[in-house]
Amino acid sequence: DIEIRELFRNKEKYGDQEVVVHGWVRGNRSSNQFGFLSINDGTFFTPLQVVYEADNLANFTEISKVHLAAGVTVRGTLALTPEAKQPFEIKAKEIVVEADSQSDYPLQKKRHTMEFMREIAHLRPRSNTFSAVYRVRSIVAYAIHKFFQEQNFVYVHAPIITGSDAEGAGEMFQVTTLDPDNLPRTEDGKIDYSQDFFGKETNLTVSGQLEAEAFALAFRNVYTFGPTFRAENSNTARHASEFWMIEPEIAFADLQDDMDLAEAMVKYIITYTLEHAPEEMNFFNQFIDKGLLERLDHIVNSSFERVTYTEAVEILQKSGKEFQYPVEWGLELQTEHERYLTEEVYKKPIFVTDYPKDCKAFYMRLNDDGKTVAACDMLVPGVGEIIGGSQREERLDVLEARMKELGISENGYEWYLDLRRYGGVKHAGYGLGFERMIMYLTGMSNIRDVLPFPRTPKSAEF
Ligand code: 4AD
Ligand code: MG
């Protein structure tokens, strides 16, 4: 047998040849004399058209009744049809039903809402939209590895279960084997974690950054790529409780180097995906987000704007726009502010840098003004923040003072402080939200629709 991808890629080679293909039925219509099956074996975006005739198919009646989603094997001759919409078709000599499907198959041929598709997350990879999303997801993952490996970055597998809160935001899922109905207590009434599985409190990682820093100070250039978990109760189209993050960390590097790397990576991902998933990207451009390809092309060929937080606040204040949330130096930028900057002011990705230290995590390097930190967020039109990064505080005394100020106990972070004691050169890194990157690339507007089986507050089905 042969994969349908191979037939599409090298159709001339198979003209007038007999081929055997497997696939699932995506469409079936017939008259008394002949019928058309449209089948897809998952290797190629476009389905294959199979023509079958009553005169030369022994089980014509069976095939004319075969249901959507049935698995079949087709033997037939490939006929090139350069004038038709489909570049070729298979004239069937034999069709075997490997596994029929029930007539109540939920994914009938009609438009379904995204909400309905989420309810059938186990079937949706069979649809056009989701097959395109998940193939692109796979290709982007590969492109990211390729980008870093070509530059000799070392891939670090950061632990999933950790004892430290990398972001200091307290948004962690706890990992415990203690019996909730019978919690051991210390003398002062607190839960006694010394009796827990690891002998202390542990949680699912929110970020592999701290571990990546340890490895960057050994290998110079490293990256992580793995699942991260956040128990933040934000029910938005951009937040998931389980998402994937790519976190490069580079030593002997500052914030500018960090942004250069991030910009090169995003452009590489776009270029690679356009080249390796043209059918899928055309589909998104046509059905999900008109103008997508033109926009991506523009992005690859422009340089991203870099603006400080202070400048951004001024621009927003002078814009004359009525925002729902206030704009004032020291306050967080909200989604509406970020969208205004990327979609109306710059119309391309931007880096906002040097945020007030109180908006950001403890590990970011304090700037000379004593008020801001060497942070950079990459914001993009349509999605908002896709990257958060910074130069790290490499000065032991400054870091310790900052942790004290924020009430972060050094307990559990000794190893992290050690990195500053023993050759802690300047270093920087960032985290790319993998799903946000996929949203940006495909035009999909909800993070639930770019994750295979999304986990969000009050929702972890499948
Ligand atoms: O900005 P964040 O919180 O930064 C960090 O975690 C740093 N440790 C990264 C680093 O410097 N190594 O998260 C990084 C990115 C965000 O820009 C966003 O794209 C994504 O991760 N992200 C989420 N994606 C989906 N759902 C969530 N709940 C997300 N939270 C963050
Ligand atoms: Mg962030």
Side-chain angles (χ1 to χ4, degrees), residues 150-170:
E150 279 171 0
Q151 300 176 70
N152 289 306
F153 280 56
V154 168
Y155 177 27
V156 181
H157 300 108
I160 303 291
I161 300 174
T162 79
S164 44
D165 179 0
E167 289 304 299

Side-chain angles (χ1 to χ4, degrees), residues 166-167 206-210 228 230 232 234 238-249 258 360 363-364 377-378 385-390 392 429-437 447:
E167 289 304 299
V206 295
S207 155
Q209 177 196 318
L210 306 191
T228 48
R230 295 198 186 175
E232 39 188 349
S234 28
R238 296 178 183 79
H239 289 85
S241 314
E242 176 179 310
F243 63 99
W244 286 61
M245 197 157 38
I246 296 90
E247 296 185 272
E249 194 69 31
D258 205 28
K360 292 292 180 188
Y363 51 71
M364 296 193 180
D377 278 6
M378 188 195 288
E385 178 190 336
I386 66 169
I387 284 177
S390 71
R392 316 309 186 188
Y430 62 83
L432 167 70
F434 186 55
E435 286 72 23
R436 303 240 179 123
M437 183 69 219
I447 197 164

Side-chain angles (χ1 to χ4, degrees), residues 42-327:
T43 63
F44 195 68
F45 184 69
T46 316
L48 171 68
Q49 172 149 294
V50 176
V51 193
Y52 58 96
E53 289 175 37
D55 286 349
N56 52 21
L57 203 69
N59 58 346
F60 180 84
T61 317
E62 182 195 13
I63 298 307
S64 66
K65 288 185 186 143
V66 83
H67 294 109
L68 286 185
V72 298
T73 298
V74 176
R75 186 169 60 82
T77 310
L78 189 145
L80 293 167
T81 53
E83 337 69 46
K85 204 177 118 210
Q86 324 248 5
F88 60 91
E89 60 188 25
I90 306 287
K91 296 201 183 306
K93 293 180 186 162
E94 187 189 1
I95 302 179
V96 177
V97 180
E98 306 283 356
D100 201 359
S101 163
Q102 293 184 186
S103 59
D104 61 353
Y105 182 54
L107 205 55
Q108 292 298 317
K109 283 189 86 147
K110 62 171 188 134
R111 271 202 174 271
H112 298 287
T113 64
M114 291 293 180
E115 288 75 15
F116 172 72
M117 296 302 268
R118 281 171 217 151
E119 289 169 17
I120 53 163
H122 58 309
L123 301 176
R124 65 180 181 170
R126 306 168 180 206
S127 69
N128 288 339
T129 302
F130 289 91
S131 91
V133 167
Y134 299 132
R135 185 179 303 280
V136 164
R137 192 178 160 104
S138 164
I139 285 172
V140 173
Y142 184 67
I144 289 168
H145 281 296
K146 206 161 175 306
F147 173 79
F148 288 116
Q149 295 284 341
E150 279 171 0
Q151 300 176 70
N152 289 306
F153 280 56
V154 168
Y155 177 27
V156 181
H157 300 108
I160 303 291
I161 300 174
T162 79
S164 44
D165 179 0
E167 289 304 299
E171 292 170 334
M172 297 176 299
F173 288 102
Q174 202 180 337
V175 175
T176 178
T177 53
L178 293 178
D179 175 0
D181 296 326
N182 192 14
L183 291 171
R185 301 277 172 184
T186 57
E187 269 168 26
D188 53 1
K190 291 198 177 126
I191 297 169
D192 183 4
Y193 286 105
S194 71
Q195 296 191 39
D196 203 347
F197 188 88
F198 293 109
K200 62 172 198 160
E201 223 179 318
T202 52
N203 46 268
L204 295 179
T205 187
V206 295
S207 155
Q209 177 196 318
L210 306 191
E211 292 86 356
E213 283 185 57
F215 272 64
L217 292 167
F219 287 100
R220 180 160 185 170
N221 296 326
V222 303
Y223 69 106
T224 72
F225 191 165
T228 48
F229 307 85
R230 295 198 186 175
E232 39 188 349
N233 211 351
S234 28
N235 230 318
T236 78
R238 296 178 183 79
H239 289 85
S241 314
E242 176 179 310
F243 63 99
W244 286 61
M245 197 157 38
I246 296 90
E247 296 185 272
E249 194 69 31
I250 48 181
F252 302 104
D254 63 15
L255 191 67
Q256 299 302 320
D257 301 320
D258 205 28
M259 288 189 281
D260 289 346
L261 183 68
E263 181 168 339
M265 179 197 67
V266 167
K267 288 175 173 172
Y268 185 97
I269 293 171
I270 295 173
T271 307
Y272 187 90
T273 308
L274 288 171
E275 192 180 324
H276 289 86
E279 288 79 14
E280 284 82 359
M281 294 304 290
N282 277 323
F283 172 83
F284 292 125
N285 189 53
Q286 211 177 332
F287 296 106
I288 302 291
D289 185 357
K290 294 206 163 55
L292 176 72
L293 292 182
E294 203 180 315
R295 214 166 58 233
L296 292 176
D297 187 64
H298 168 65
I299 285 153
V300 170
N301 294 303
S302 58
S303 56
F304 299 2
E305 203 68 38
R306 298 178 185 189
V307 23
T308 67
Y309 166 90
T310 303
E311 288 163 349
V313 166
E314 276 166 21
I315 292 168
L316 291 165
Q317 283 173 339
K318 285 188 192 142
S319 70
K321 266 201 74 112
E322 290 277 332
F323 293 112
Q324 196 190 334
Y325 290 90
V327 181

